[in-house]
Amino acid sequence: MSASVLHSEVGVSDEKQAAAKSAGRRFGALVVRLGAIAAFAAIMAYFVIFAPGFTSTFNLINVVEQSAILGVLAYGMTSVIIGGGSDVTEGGIDLSIAANMGLCAAVYATLLSMGYGDFLSVLAAIAVGIAVGALNALAVVGLGILPLLATLAVLNVAAGMELTLTQNTVVGASSPLLGVLVSGSFLGISALAWALIVFSAIMIVIVHGTSFGLRLYAAGGHPEAARAAGISVPFYVSFTYVLSGFCAAVASILTVSRLSASTPGSGELLLSVLAAALLGTVFSRRFVPTMGGTLLSVLFIGLLANGFQLLNVSSYWVNGVQGALILLVVAITSFARGSEGSR
Amino acid sequence: MRNSMKGLVKALALGLAAACSLAAISGASAEELSLKGKRIGVSAIGTDHYWDLMAFKGIQDRVKELGGEVIALDAGRKDQQQIAQLQTLIAQKPDAIIEQLGNLEVLNPWLQKIRDAGIPLFTVDTATPHAINNTTSNNYNIGAEIALQMVADMGGKGNVLVFNGFYSVPVCKIRYDQLKYVLTSFPDVKIVEPELRDVIPNTVQSAYSNVTDMLTKSPEKGSIGAVWACWDVPQIGATQAVEAAGRNEVKTYGIDGSPEVIKMVMDPKSSAGAVAAQQPYEIGKTSVDNAAKYLAGQKVPPFTFVPSVLINKENAAEKGKPFLDAAEKAGVK
């Protein structure tokens, strides 16, 4: 689309060409963005019409429940991308978040199985999650390592610690808190679904309803301008990694409740977490990550798997569709960045 | 020792014959089985190994053969995904659910929910009180047989490297417990502590490096006599490691009967000592027959054993071939 626009501009004076290029890009980005949203909507409409039982309240609550863990993790990832900037190679990213969740879950389940109560075990899990987040912050802000590499290294540290702790085995766990999370419900909505609803509300208010959130966007979007305005960019960036670690710890408790155990292989979730955080940018006009956008894409990913199963389409397709959408979104964001003229 | 082995083989042969005649009987009533108009949900933790894939295929083929509709769900080795799939499956209210393998601790609360929802539950290779029927191999026999074969090959003494990473998987628990039970009669056969952990994924590579490390740690020939695993994918890595280290006195033992392991046992030069070969495709099919019988109002026993065969160095040429043929027929290598 925009390629043909660009080609037709060859030979016009430089200034005009640049302006046209930018307009073309902006138009192209708009088209692709609307296209992506239309694709989302079309898939949902198809499910509503053809997937038996898709729109039943019971099924929709199931999907919210199934999305809780991914959602909490995706909020952590989104905050890191907001605070560190959304440049895919140099911006904020936390590759360690899923492994961190695995480590926290292992700590939580191990302590419970050793007979420590919920209070101490939850506290320990959250402390571990925050510590891993702080390690990321130290590596990225303190040592100035590229987030992609720093968090990749921390991923390995966390995964290794989890293996050391659990010996790669399943650690069963039960406790009063887990009991409530598994079978509790309020107003017909299960505890796990409530966890996502409440956590979402908190994150949306903090990031989009406070001056703190505004400064966070400034730190990630225009670090120089933020610095000039007296905002301590390193503090905000560090904060996002610690918050991400906290999200990992919260998600770990939800995971242990859902699986009645800590199990190896949490790292597998990373791709879905990244997908959710990146896909979420499509729902923003400026292609920036937002908490609301992340929530929508988390639910979309959940509905995708659910709809395919109800239609009796192989679950193998879910990965393919997810991958295609990520590609689409990354293409859109690079378009958008071109139109803003930055870098 | 030789006498007891002979007795064992005889007992096995008898058991096989009995099972075959049983199969013939059930084959007659299978003619009338039908799943027309029925929807059967199938949930497997993963299909990345020969056994899993064959059983999963066997279930689906048989449901279709009997005229039923199958909702086939492969969780890709992700517990989270399997739980989500089961949860949605319960909402879909199929006529029956067949669940294949996975971590019992994770699954049990959800299997309970399946029963609470009034959906008949059948399992493949997964012993749980929530299932109406569990179709599997006789893992008590398999565990004892492979352990006895190993002890016999070791001459009743020596050290064993044991992979014990999946004690939470019910069949592995049975086989491991049987190994321990057999070893109580042979105090000179000792398990090297700490035990090794087999993993998924990268099972072969990880087993290879684990065994290589242990062989390096015990460099004298004869210091290690055998390697045992509750399935045969670690056995592949272990066998390769033993051969690469030139430690041919070490033999490897495993369970399942993946074609490449059967080929290893058939190769007289390979260090693969024996493998208990199961019939995963038949196991999958049989679980569907059980579901069909139950839905037709017939009585179904709490478990069904599909015969397995111990393939060792002596009988490999003869006993291994039918299994390789079956694998080829199913198009799974």
Side-chain angles (χ1 to χ4, degrees):
Chain A
M1 175 77 222
S2 78
S4 66
V5 174
L6 289 182
H7 279 301
S8 65
E9 301 294 336
V10 178
V12 192
S13 79
D14 272 2
E15 207 175 304
K16 256 189 183 170
Q17 191 180 350
K21 206 173 184 175
S22 155
R25 270 175 178 271
R26 205 175 299 149
F27 181 66
L30 180 73
V31 168
V32 183
R33 187 170 81 87
L34 291 180
I37 293 177
F40 280 22
I43 293 174
M44 286 304 121
Y46 187 85
F47 285 162
V48 168
I49 298 167
F50 295 104
F54 183 72
T55 51
S56 76
T57 324
F58 184 64
N59 185 55
L60 294 177
I61 291 176
N62 271 354
V63 174
V64 175
E65 202 178 293
Q66 288 159 11
S67 307
I69 294 159
L70 181 60
V72 171
L73 288 177
Y75 288 139
M77 182 69 86
T78 308
S79 74
V80 169
I81 298 177
I82 292 173
S86 54
D87 187 290
V88 180
T89 45
E90 289 174 24
I93 194 164
D94 183 359
L95 297 181
S96 71
I97 189 164
N100 188 3
M101 179 189 80
L103 174 62
C104 295
V107 166
Y108 180 51
T110 307
L111 287 178
L112 278 182
S113 66
M114 284 165 70
Y116 294 96
D118 261 326
F119 181 74
L120 213 67
S121 307
V122 169
L123 218 61
I126 289 177
V128 168
I130 288 180
V132 172
L135 187 60
N136 279 323
L138 180 74
V140 172
V141 179
L143 304 177
I145 305 172
L146 215 56
L148 205 62
L149 298 178
T151 58
L152 185 66
V154 173
L155 181 169
N156 280 307
V157 172
M161 282 168 74
E162 184 196 343
L163 283 176
T164 314
L165 189 60
T166 65
Q167 297 292 309
N168 208 27
T169 57
V170 175
V171 182
S174 65
S175 78
L177 174 67
L178 293 177
V180 169
L181 282 172
V182 169
S183 52
S185 84
F186 178 63
L187 300 177
I189 296 174
S190 61
L192 214 58
W194 273 116
L196 180 64
I197 295 167
V198 171
F199 204 82
S200 302
I202 295 173
M203 291 306 272
I204 289 172
V205 167
I206 290 179
V207 173
H208 300 292
T210 63
S211 54
F212 180 86
L214 205 61
R215 287 196 288 267
L216 188 63
Y217 269 107
H222 301 281
E224 271 94 53
R227 213 165 287 135
I231 295 172
S232 165
V233 176
F235 167 77
Y236 280 89
V237 175
S238 304
F239 173 80
T240 60
Y241 285 101
V242 174
L243 177 64
S244 177
F246 175 75
C247 288
V250 172
S252 78
I253 289 157
L254 303 182
T255 297
V256 173
S257 83
R258 197 153 164 82
L259 302 181
S260 342
S262 116
T263 65
S266 306
E268 300 254 13
L269 262 174
L270 179 64
L271 187 68
S272 298
V273 174
L274 264 178
L278 290 176
L279 284 179
T281 58
V282 189
F283 296 103
S284 133
R285 248 189 309 161
R286 285 169 47 243
F287 304 104
V288 290
T290 59
M291 292 297 166
T294 299
L295 177 61
L296 285 178
S297 56
V298 164
L299 292 175
F300 176 76
I301 289 172
L303 289 168
L304 202 62
N306 177 259
F308 275 162
Q309 182 173 339
L310 295 177
L311 283 171
N312 208 359
V313 174
S314 164
S315 53
Y316 302 135
W317 280 93
V318 176
N319 290 334
V321 172
Q322 233 182 64
L325 285 171
I326 294 177
L327 203 63
L328 196 64
V329 169
V330 173
I332 295 165
T333 34
S334 25
F335 260 127
R337 198 153 295 118
S339 74
E340 278 171 9
S342 63
R343 284 174 207 276
Chain B
M1 178 51 52
R2 174 162 284 179
N3 263 343
S4 77
M5 279 308 296
K6 252 187 196 160
L8 200 73
V9 170
K10 209 182 258 176
L12 187 67
L14 270 177
L16 263 179
C20 289
S21 60
L22 268 181
I25 294 165
S26 66
S29 68
E31 297 286 317
E32 302 133 37
L33 287 178
S34 165
L35 284 173
K36 260 206 182 82
K38 305 276 192 216
R39 283 196 313 159
I40 309 296
V42 185
S43 161
I45 179 70
T47 53
D48 38 359
H49 305 117
Y50 173 78
W51 199 103
D52 306 1
L53 188 57
M54 287 294 274
F56 195 55
K57 211 165 157 345
I59 297 172
Q60 295 182 61
D61 288 355
R62 186 64 177 154
V63 172
K64 286 176 200 154
E65 226 172 86
L66 295 180
E69 185 195 343
V70 54
I71 306 170
L73 304 165
D74 172 1
R77 288 275 156 214
K78 285 173 266 189
D79 294 306
Q80 293 281 1
Q81 194 168 338
Q82 189 176 24
I83 295 309
Q85 287 174 341
L86 283 176
Q87 189 177 29
T88 304
L89 192 56
I90 293 172
Q92 288 175 275
K93 294 210 171 302
D95 294 288
I97 292 178
I98 300 176
E99 198 284 325
Q100 175 186 323
L101 286 167
N103 289 313
L104 203 57
E105 246 165 322
V106 174
L107 284 170
N108 257 337
W110 293 89
L111 301 183
Q112 171 78 54
K113 284 183 192 182
I114 292 174
R115 295 308 299 275
D116 291 348
I119 303 168
L121 171 70
F122 297 82
T123 52
V124 164
D125 229 22
T126 307
T128 162
H130 306 302
I132 291 167
N133 168 282
N134 175 32
T135 302
T136 177
S137 298
N138 186 341
N139 287 291
Y140 303 93
N141 268 356
I142 286 184
E145 272 170 27
I146 200 85
L148 286 167
Q149 177 75 56
M150 181 183 85
V151 170
D153 292 350
M154 291 170 77
K157 60 174 190 291
N159 295 318
V160 187
L161 300 177
V162 167
F163 282 96
N164 186 23
F166 293 103
Y167 197 71
S168 61
V169 176
V171 288
C172 280
K173 176 186 185 312
I174 297 170
R175 295 166 192 167
Y176 176 83
D177 289 347
Q178 289 296 86
L179 167 73
K180 286 278 219 185
Y181 184 64
V182 166
L183 292 190
T184 54
S185 313
F186 300 95
D188 292 337
V189 177
K190 292 196 173 67
I191 293 176
V192 176
E193 297 284 350
E195 291 168 338
L196 305 175
R197 301 277 173 207
D198 36 347
V199 296
I200 297 175
N202 295 326
T203 314
V204 175
Q205 296 91 315
S206 150
Y208 183 95
S209 59
N210 280 338
V211 170
T212 304
D213 291 349
M214 293 308 287
L215 292 176
T216 314
K217 220 170 119 186
S218 315
E220 327 77 73
K221 280 219 172 218
S223 54
I224 289 169
V227 184
W228 181 97
C230 83
W231 55 315
D232 63 5
V233 180
Q235 191 184 1
I236 297 171
T239 309
Q240 290 168 348
V242 166
E243 287 165 7
R247 297 282 290 271
N248 296 342
E249 82 278 12
V250 183
K251 296 279 178 278
T252 65
Y253 300 85
I255 292 151
D256 279 351
S258 306
E260 50 184 317
V261 177
I262 293 183
K263 282 180 200 153
M264 282 177 167
V265 178
M266 286 165 96
D267 175 2
K269 274 180 281 177
S270 164
S271 293
V275 65
Q278 308 185 58
Q279 304 187 62
Y281 189 82
E282 285 303 316
I283 289 176
K285 276 179 74 171
T286 308
S287 74
V288 175
D289 288 349
N290 281 322
K293 279 180 203 162
Y294 180 85
L295 292 176
Q298 296 179 35
K299 264 211 154 167
V300 175
F303 55 85
T304 309
F305 288 152
V306 173
S308 60
V309 176
L310 182 73
I311 298 178
N312 58 25
K313 285 291 186 210
E314 285 85 52
N315 70 11
E318 173 202 352
K319 295 278 169 71
K321 195 165 178 311
F323 284 91
L324 295 181
D325 291 346
E328 199 158 315
K329 198 176 135 206
V332 183
K333 289 272 158 67

